[in-house]
Amino acid sequence: MSRSRKVIITCAPTGAIHTPSMSPHLPVTAAEIAEASIAAAREGAAILHLHARDPVDGRPSQDPELFKPFLTEIRGQTNAVINLTSGGSPHMTVEERMQPATFFKPELASLNMGSMNFGLFPMLQRFPVLRHDWERQHLENSKNLVFKNTFADIERILQLGAENGTRFEFECYDISHLYNLAHFLDRQLVKGPLFIQSVFGILGGIGGHVEDLMHMRRTADRLFGDSYLWSILGAGRNQMTLATIGLAMGANVRVGLEDSLWLGPGKLAESSAAQVRKIRKVIEALDLEVATPSEARQLLDLKGASNVGF
């Protein structure tokens, strides 16, 4: 009897999209981010994708000093792979956005594979009451804001990661992002196994229809063959549906409050761990196995937890 396929669960507990007024369960302080991350790891998340926030008003921040407390706590209590954001703010330089990854030298960092419109403003209709001025500005400004990641930006981020032995979660929000990644593969600036996070349902990127998922998979197969590991990130209400379809097609999955605040229709998720627990049930129902952090390291050819800077 053949062994079951191992599925890597990534969990993103807080992110930079949602704001504190949208959910009382969104982690803001270092203690809350650490608690949410550790709970998700205990439910089966092999990878933790982490952002930091200002503890006073919940504003996203790339200040390494805000990352340090929760990284230390998570490292002390789990064996999870740490994946640090390189997103930051569109107003930051590449070096500013890469501060956490450059300073802490994680095994993984995220990398958005192209410039794109990133429309968050529709959330103003769903969340008209916001406690902090920055939250409304954050959402309204997305009408006229491009998330910039040029070929030169991507090349610089890859260089900074290579200097630390940090590999990347390549976040692909559209078909063009796959072709951008193929360009860097052709130039030998990246190497397999590529960890491709297909992102669905963000306004400005590919949609959340099952045909969009199929198109992304077909294109990745044609461009990368067997040199990549695929993962599904469905934004908002797309989270569990697309993750389930992706699992049946051979994908890994990502969940967490960064990507969706919900556990089901009209039901806020009380934690990212609850989302991990829910998708784990789907994985097990499909007779698949949840990968451990050690197995994820092997599958992604990571440098190991003993070689990070925290």
Side-chain angles (χ1 to χ4, degrees):
M1 182 176 179
S2 61
R3 296 178 61 188
S4 297
R5 177 171 65 86
K6 301 287 186 177
V7 176
I8 299 171
I9 301 176
T10 297
C11 182
T14 189
I17 293 176
H18 298 116
T19 71
S21 298
M22 296 177 183
S23 172
H25 309 299
L26 187 71
V28 170
T29 67
E32 290 168 347
I33 293 169
E35 180 182 8
S37 300
I38 293 165
R42 288 174 176 166
E43 289 292 345
I47 300 174
L48 299 171
H49 173 61
L50 301 174
H51 292 241
R53 293 178 179 266
D54 185 309
V56 176
D57 63 7
R59 188 189 308 262
S61 173
Q62 291 296 90
D63 183 353
E65 289 300 314
L66 294 178
F67 282 78
K68 188 180 297 183
F70 62 74
L71 289 177
T72 302
E73 186 70 14
I74 294 167
R75 176 80 190 277
Q77 297 201 44
T78 80
N79 186 36
V81 174
I82 301 300
N83 172 355
L84 296 185
T85 180
S86 70
S89 161
H91 305 290
M92 294 178 181
T93 67
V94 166
E95 282 73 17
E96 288 172 329
R97 288 164 45 201
M98 278 290 286
Q99 281 184 99
T102 302
F103 188 87
F104 294 109
K105 303 176 176 58
E107 296 178 78
L108 272 177
S110 64
L111 175 51
N112 188 326
M113 286 308 297
S115 301
M116 61 178 291
N117 294 327
F118 208 105
L120 304 177
F121 56 89
M123 287 193 283
L124 285 166
Q125 298 175 3
R126 299 197 296 275
F127 302 98
V129 179
L130 300 170
R131 296 196 304 272
H132 306 291
D133 290 341
W134 77 265
E135 296 177 280
R136 185 167 299 280
Q137 294 169 3
H138 171 69
L139 300 176
E140 287 179 342
N141 288 346
S142 70
K143 289 182 181 179
N144 193 37
L145 195 63
V146 173
F147 183 97
K148 173 180 168 290
N149 244 16
T150 65
F151 288 105
D153 293 337
I154 294 170
E155 186 170 340
R156 178 62 176 148
I157 290 170
L158 291 172
Q159 178 188 7
L160 291 170
E163 290 172 358
N164 294 329
T166 296
R167 290 177 63 82
F168 288 93
E169 170 206 32
F170 297 105
E171 297 189 353
C172 295
Y173 291 74
D174 216 334
I175 298 300
S176 62
H177 291 187
L178 295 174
Y179 281 93
N180 292 349
L181 180 55
H183 163 79
F184 287 103
L185 182 64
D186 289 343
R187 292 174 57 192
Q188 299 184 345
L189 294 178
V190 299
K191 63 178 183 178
L194 305 173
F195 186 34
I196 298 179
Q197 192 72 252
S198 295
V199 185
F200 301 92
I202 294 291
L203 182 60
I206 199 167
H209 194 277
V210 63
E211 290 294 336
D212 297 316
L213 185 149
M214 297 290 289
H215 186 33
M216 187 78 85
R217 179 60 188 268
R218 286 192 296 266
T219 305
D221 280 349
R222 176 164 45 81
L223 292 174
F224 307 113
D226 59 1
S227 66
Y228 81 104
L229 280 83
W230 189 38
S231 185
I232 298 294
L233 189 173
R237 60 187 174 86
N238 300 299
Q239 186 185 72
M240 293 295 169
T241 301
L242 292 187
T244 300
I245 295 169
L247 283 167
M249 295 172 59
N252 301 284
V253 293
R254 176 171 140 175
V255 296
L257 297 189
E258 171 174 357
D259 307 328
S260 175
L261 297 174
W262 307 96
L263 191 62
K267 179 177 175 57
L268 284 173
E270 295 186 0
S271 66
S272 291
Q275 294 178 342
V276 175
R277 188 160 53 246
K278 184 172 181 177
I279 201 62
R280 181 170 190 150
K281 290 179 180 178
V282 175
I283 292 168
E284 292 169 347
L286 292 171
D287 292 328
L288 305 174
E289 293 185 18
V290 175
T292 66
S294 296
E295 289 168 336
R297 288 183 172 95
Q298 184 175 12
L299 288 167
L300 297 173
D301 192 25
L302 302 180
K303 65 181 180 179
S306 62
N307 296 308
V308 300
F310 57 93

